[in-house]
Amino acid sequence: GLWTVFTLGGVGSKSASTSEISSPLANQSVLLLLVLANLTDAADAPNPYRQALMSFKNTQDNSPFPSSIPHAFQINFNSLYTALCEQQTSDQATLLLYTLLHQNSNIRTYMLARTDMENLVLPILEILYHVEERNSHHVYMALIILLILTEDDGFNRSIHEVILKNITWYSERVLTEISLGSLLILVVIRTIQYNMTRTRDKYLHTNCLAALANMSAQFRSLHQYAAQRII
C-alpha cells in the first residue's frame, strides 16, 4: 500500500488528467496519507504517520534505525524521486514533495546530491511560470520547495553548471541554450512581476525575493536575458 502511495501509481510519461483517470487509487492514497501525516499529535503519543514520513530511509542505507523511531521503514529513493519528478502537475504530488523535503532529512540530502536536479526543478518552474492557471496553494508549495532547495549552497552552485536546450514552455523569448540557474532567476522574476501587477500578495513577494537572495552569492555566467531581467 505504501509503495503505491509513494510511487503515485507508477512511473510513466502521463499527463495529470490521464494519471488521475488511470490511477485513482494512487491519487486518493496520496491525499489520505497527507491527511494522516498532518493530524495533530496526541497528548500522550506523537502522530505515527508523521513519524514514519520523517524517518524513512533509502533501501541502500544499511545503518540501523534509532530505537526511538518505531514506525521507520525503507523505500527505493530512486523510484520515489522519478515518480515525484513526473507527477508535479498535481497538487497532492507537490504537497508530498514539500512535506518530504521539509520533514525528512534523508530525502532532502538524497535529492540535493542528485546530478539530475533539472528533472525535479523544471516541473516546479513550470508551475510558477503558469501561475495564472494554478491555484494559489499549488504556487505557494512550488515556491517553498524552491526556497528549501536554494538554502543549500551546493545546489545554488550546481544549477549554473546545468545547460538546458530549447525550453519550449517559456514563451516570452526563445531560449535555445540557458543554464538552469538563469532559467530559475527568469521564472522567479516573472512571478514577482505578475504578483506586482495582479495579486499583490506580500507572502508570495517576500518568498520570491528570498529565493533570489539565497541564490545571489552563487550567480555564475548568467544568461544575458536573465541579467537584463534582474536590472
Side-chain angles (χ1 to χ4, degrees):
L2 278 174
W3 181 252
T4 300
V5 170
F6 278 116
T7 57
L8 309 184
V11 178
S13 55
K14 312 174 205 172
S15 66
S17 58
T18 305
S19 175
E20 287 171 7
I21 294 171
S22 61
S23 305
L25 176 60
N27 283 282
Q28 297 303 315
S29 297
V30 171
L31 289 170
L32 176 60
L33 177 64
L34 289 168
V35 169
L36 293 172
N38 286 284
L39 291 174
T40 305
D41 291 331
D44 56 344
N47 181 341
Y49 301 100
R50 183 182 297 135
Q51 275 195 316
L53 277 182
M54 289 174 62
S55 59
F56 73 84
K57 299 191 301 185
N58 197 352
T59 49
Q60 298 178 353
D61 187 347
N62 296 320
S63 60
F65 285 102
S67 57
S68 59
I69 306 177
H71 307 290
F73 64 96
Q74 289 178 292
I75 195 171
N76 187 307
F77 277 14
N78 183 62
S79 296
L80 175 59
Y81 178 81
T82 304
L84 287 169
C85 289
E86 295 192 357
Q87 300 293 335
Q88 288 306 303
T89 50
S90 70
D91 294 41
Q92 60 265 36
T94 305
L95 180 54
L96 178 60
L97 173 60
Y98 159 73
T99 303
L100 295 178
L101 278 173
H102 182 250
Q103 298 189 8
N104 190 316
S105 59
N106 300 321
I107 280 284
R108 185 166 59 252
T109 301
Y110 173 84
M111 289 189 175
L112 288 169
R114 295 281 304 204
T115 57
D116 59 347
M117 277 298 293
E118 67 273 15
N119 292 337
L120 183 68
V121 176
L122 282 174
I124 299 300
L125 294 183
E126 262 197 271
I127 294 169
L128 291 177
Y129 185 80
H130 297 293
V131 59
E132 303 94 336
E133 303 168 15
R134 304 291 182 188
N135 66 62
S136 59
H137 300 293
H138 202 177
V139 172
Y140 287 150
M141 287 186 294
L143 184 56
I144 295 302
I145 288 169
L146 285 185
L147 267 179
I148 293 172
L149 295 175
T150 58
E151 287 174 353
D152 183 80
D153 285 341
F155 171 84
N156 294 331
R157 284 192 299 271
S158 64
I159 55 176
H160 293 288
E161 299 169 3
V162 178
I163 304 301
L164 307 169
K165 307 282 187 180
N166 300 317
I167 308 300
T168 55
W169 48 263
Y170 193 95
S171 59
E172 275 84 353
R173 178 166 173 156
V174 177
L175 300 175
T176 55
E177 186 174 291
I178 189 170
S179 70
L180 180 59
S182 292
L183 181 63
L184 202 160
I185 292 167
L186 285 175
V187 173
V188 172
I189 289 177
R190 184 180 183 275
T191 307
I192 290 173
Q193 291 181 314
Y194 172 83
N195 187 49
M196 288 172 64
T197 57
R198 301 284 289 278
T199 55
R200 296 181 177 273
D201 185 319
K202 182 180 178 181
Y203 177 85
L204 189 67
H205 204 68
T206 302
N207 284 286
C208 283
L209 291 170
L212 287 176
N214 286 347
M215 294 185 292
S216 60
Q218 304 295 338
F219 283 174
R220 297 288 186 277
S221 305
L222 294 187
H223 189 281
Q224 60 181 11
Y225 184 52
Q228 177 187 339
R229 298 309 291 164
I230 290 175
I231 301 301

